[in-house]
């Protein structure tokens, strides 16, 4: 008997877990729709946030050195390799002024994870009871959603409000929280607030005033805070990265998330870390030990070398300067086209306002865009006809707030300058579609 090649033609012998039906886990996501296989072969990918250049040579050399040892190829402690934990201690202790001058405890206040994502997942595993609510500021990093729902949590959405479309020279700082909305979102089931600064995808660097208001809410309602700071080293135009854990009363209830992949242009290494008080790190360690047991050993050694050497080499100052050149290369193209954008003050993303882009009404869009926001069609059209891919921002909103994000598409400028210049030349062709 011939077997059907249609995977949906017959039900599975054993049904999968119902949790996979939550958090959009089974939905056709934006990364699948805008996959390179669906786009022109020569399309320039400014959609996904990975680099097209390697980590620094001295960091790669440390990875090679670790691979050439015996111990570097075997299990690490679930807490992370001691060299990396000590490097995190030395690098971050001065940055956590809330510690009063003491150093972080490598045994109880630092946890290495298999990328920032896994560390966040482990914390949700450790702290969420069924029905516990987690506040997400929209637009949000899409991995948050299934990580929360898989752990029986309930996401609650509070949007960042974009600047008015007619505001001259808007910046990422003009995306603001309505704190009345935040207060109304709190219920007796609220367990945690997720803060992402510098922000993906907006590029917003939260101010001290904003973080203090969030801290006040967390303390008033006895909430945890997960502070996703993976873009901590990328702030521009004099903006200061402020750690919410340093605010009075916040160390005890905050876990700060970091990433070697973002710091050292090594996103495939999957090495991250959590920093926080023992009462938050110990339960998360118990969870991560059962999820992955330990993280990649040789690349932990390389990440340690990166942190040990970065300040001496002036690495982060150089990185910011290089990223500013990349950012400004892309922004010059948007200026020449005549489209507004939110000037990013942090991270390596910029949101372009496409409300004035006139996509032909009879353009043959794929059925996968049916029911999606206007930004999905604009991003598809630009990828197919202009040859530069981006990501529609409404993907990072709940359905109720989708219309807020439809004005924008996200471009990543974590690419080398020649590629950004080539993309800029192509984007100039957008002029003919602006109304």
């Amino acid at each position: 008997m011939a077997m059907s090649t249609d995977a949906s033609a017959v039900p599975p012998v054993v049904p999968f877990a119902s949790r996979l039906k939550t958090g959009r886990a089974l939905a056709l996501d934006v990364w699948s729709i805008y996959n390179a296989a669906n786009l022109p072969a020569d399309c320039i990918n400014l959609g996904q946030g990975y680099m097209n250049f390697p980590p620094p040579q001295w960091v790669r050399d440390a990875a090679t050195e670790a691979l050439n040892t015996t111990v570097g190829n075997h299990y690490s402690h679930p807490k992370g390799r001691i060299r990396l934990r000590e490097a995190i201690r030395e690098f971050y202790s001065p940055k956590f002024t809330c510690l009063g001058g003491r150093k972080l405890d490598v045994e109880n206040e630092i946890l290495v994870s298999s990328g920032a994502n896994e560390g966040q997942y482990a914390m949700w595993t450790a702290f969420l009871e069924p029905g516990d609510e987690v506040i997400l500021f929209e637009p949000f990093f899409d991995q948050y959603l299934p990580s929360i729902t898989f752990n029986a949590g309930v996401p609650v959405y509070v949007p960042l409000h974009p600047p008015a479309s007619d505001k001259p020279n808007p910046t990422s700082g003009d995306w603001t929280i309505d704190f009345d909305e935040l207060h109304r979102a709190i219920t007796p089931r609220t367990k945690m607030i997720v803060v992402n600064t510098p922000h993906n995808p907006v590029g917003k660097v939260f101010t001290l005033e904003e973080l203090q208001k969030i801290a006040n809410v967390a303390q008033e309602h006895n909430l945890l805070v997960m502070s996703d700071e993976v873009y901590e080293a990328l702030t521009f135009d004099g903006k200061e990265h402020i750690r919410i854990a340093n605010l009075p009363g916040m160390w005890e209830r905050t876990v700060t998330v970091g990433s070697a992949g973002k710091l050292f242009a090594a996103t495939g290494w999957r090495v991250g870390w959590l920093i926080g008080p023992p009462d938050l790190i110990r339960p998360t360690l118990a969870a991560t030990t059962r999820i992955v047991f330990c993280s990649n050993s040789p690349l932990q050694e390389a990440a340690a070398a990166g942190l040990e050497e970065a300040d001496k080499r002036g690495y982060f100052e150089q990185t910011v300067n290089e990223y500013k050149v990349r950012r400004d290369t892309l922004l010059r193209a948007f200026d020449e086209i005549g489209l507004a954008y939110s000037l990013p003050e942090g991270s390596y993303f910029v949101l372009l306002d496409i409300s004035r882009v006139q996509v032909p009404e009879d353009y043959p869009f794929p059925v996968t865009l049916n029911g999606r926001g206007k930004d999905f069609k604009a991003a598809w059209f630009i990828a197919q006809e202009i040859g530069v891919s981006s990501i529609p921002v409404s993907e990072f909103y709940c359905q109720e707030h989708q219309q807020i994000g439809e004005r924008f598409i996200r471009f990543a400028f974590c690419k080398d300058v020649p590629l950004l210049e080539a993309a800029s030349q192509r984007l100039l062709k957008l002029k003919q579609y602006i109304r």
Side-chain angles (χ1 to χ4, degrees):
M1 179 185 295
M3 295 184 65
S4 171
T5 58
D6 182 356
S8 64
V10 294
V13 175
V14 179
F16 54 75
S18 61
R19 70 175 62 89
L20 288 181
K21 298 177 182 178
T22 70
R24 305 177 188 168
L26 293 176
L28 183 66
D29 64 18
V30 70
W31 315 109
S32 301
I33 294 173
Y34 294 91
N35 187 285
N38 297 329
L39 302 177
D42 65 343
C43 188
I44 296 176
N45 185 350
L46 300 189
Q48 293 174 286
Y50 61 81
M51 300 78 177
N52 72 329
F53 48 86
Q57 185 63 54
W58 45 279
V59 177
R60 285 181 282 154
D61 289 345
T64 301
E65 182 178 341
L67 282 166
N68 287 331
T69 68
T70 298
V71 68
N73 288 280
H74 295 294
Y75 292 126
S76 298
H77 193 286
K79 294 178 181 179
R81 296 185 72 79
I82 188 60
R83 180 184 176 189
L84 178 53
R85 283 183 282 140
E86 289 177 344
I88 292 169
R89 176 192 64 195
E90 296 306 310
F91 184 79
Y92 282 99
S93 291
K95 303 179 189 301
F96 283 89
T97 55
C98 57
L99 300 177
R102 73 169 177 87
K103 291 188 175 182
L104 289 162
D105 179 351
V106 297
E107 299 298 334
N108 298 297
E109 296 177 332
I110 297 169
L111 175 61
V112 175
S113 57
S114 296
N117 280 346
E118 187 272 323
Q120 293 168 326
Y121 190 96
M123 188 181 178
W124 282 314
T125 300
F127 285 96
L128 292 184
E129 296 285 0
D132 281 350
E133 295 172 354
V134 180
I135 301 291
L136 298 178
F137 293 113
E138 297 174 300
F140 56 83
F141 176 51
D142 59 338
Q143 282 288 92
Y144 296 156
L145 189 56
S147 295
I148 291 167
T149 62
F150 281 11
N151 285 292
V154 177
V156 176
Y157 308 100
V158 176
L160 291 171
H161 292 278
S165 58
D166 59 353
K167 179 179 175 59
N169 304 315
T171 75
S172 57
D174 293 320
W175 289 66
T176 56
I177 299 169
D178 180 332
F179 282 92
D180 288 337
E181 288 182 338
L182 175 57
H183 281 281
R184 290 196 298 271
I186 303 297
T187 77
R189 295 308 308 267
T190 307
K191 175 66 73 69
M192 184 185 300
I193 301 174
V194 179
V195 176
N196 177 205
T197 182
H199 189 274
N200 170 18
V202 172
K204 178 182 177 66
V205 179
F206 280 70
T207 65
L208 176 59
E209 179 183 6
E210 290 169 324
L211 292 174
Q212 186 61 67
K213 288 181 178 180
I214 295 170
N216 293 343
V217 172
Q219 292 180 65
E220 178 184 352
H221 297 279
N222 193 29
L223 306 179
L224 299 176
V225 171
M226 179 185 289
S227 189
D228 182 346
E229 302 180 15
V230 299
Y231 299 101
E232 61 187 289
L234 285 178
T235 61
F236 310 108
D237 309 321
K239 293 297 176 180
E240 178 187 5
H241 171 57
I242 299 170
R243 301 179 189 278
I244 195 170
N246 281 331
L247 301 186
M250 290 305 294
W251 166 256
E252 296 80 4
R253 62 180 69 251
T254 302
V255 162
T256 301
V257 183
S259 166
K262 298 300 190 295
L263 289 179
F264 299 111
T267 56
W269 285 12
R270 313 313 298 147
V271 175
W273 45 79
L274 307 181
I275 297 172
D279 286 349
L280 301 186
I281 294 298
R282 287 195 196 106
T284 307
L285 168 63
T288 198
T289 301
R290 276 72 190 178
I291 296 169
V292 293
F293 181 68
C294 70
S295 298
N296 186 308
S297 292
L299 299 182
Q300 285 190 61
E301 293 289 317
L307 292 176
E308 291 163 357
E309 293 287 325
D311 284 344
K312 290 181 281 188
R313 293 174 178 268
Y315 169 72
F316 293 118
E317 294 82 359
Q318 177 185 347
T319 297
V320 169
N321 291 336
E322 291 173 349
Y323 269 94
K324 187 176 185 303
V325 172
R326 295 178 181 121
R327 180 194 70 168
D328 293 349
T329 298
L330 188 57
L331 298 188
R332 281 195 295 272
F334 296 157
D335 287 334
E336 188 167 347
I337 296 166
L339 290 178
Y341 52 85
S342 296
L343 176 69
E345 297 171 339
S347 81
Y348 48 61
F349 301 106
V350 56
L351 301 189
L352 181 69
D353 187 333
I354 45 84
S355 55
R356 293 176 52 225
V357 174
Q358 186 70 54
V359 177
E361 292 184 7
D362 59 349
Y363 193 80
F365 292 105
V367 295
T368 51
L369 300 192
N370 291 348
R372 305 278 186 164
K374 299 173 185 176
D375 51 335
F376 271 79
K377 291 187 175 180
W380 183 267
F381 176 78
I382 291 169
Q384 297 291 335
E385 302 301 323
I386 307 300
V388 180
S389 69
S390 58
I391 293 296
V393 173
S394 64
E395 175 78 358
F396 308 128
Y397 286 83
C398 68
Q399 190 168 2
E400 180 185 354
H401 297 152
Q402 175 181 293
Q403 76 284 353
I404 300 175
E406 285 184 338
R407 274 175 52 198
F408 304 95
I409 56 177
R410 187 194 79 173
F411 290 87
F413 53 89
C414 51
K415 315 293 179 179
D416 61 36
V417 171
L419 188 72
L420 292 168
E421 289 176 338
S424 296
Q425 285 301 309
R426 293 186 181 188
L427 287 167
L428 296 181
K429 293 184 291 184
L430 259 183
K431 282 184 178 181
Q432 61 188 302
Y433 299 105
I434 295 175
R435 63 172 186 264

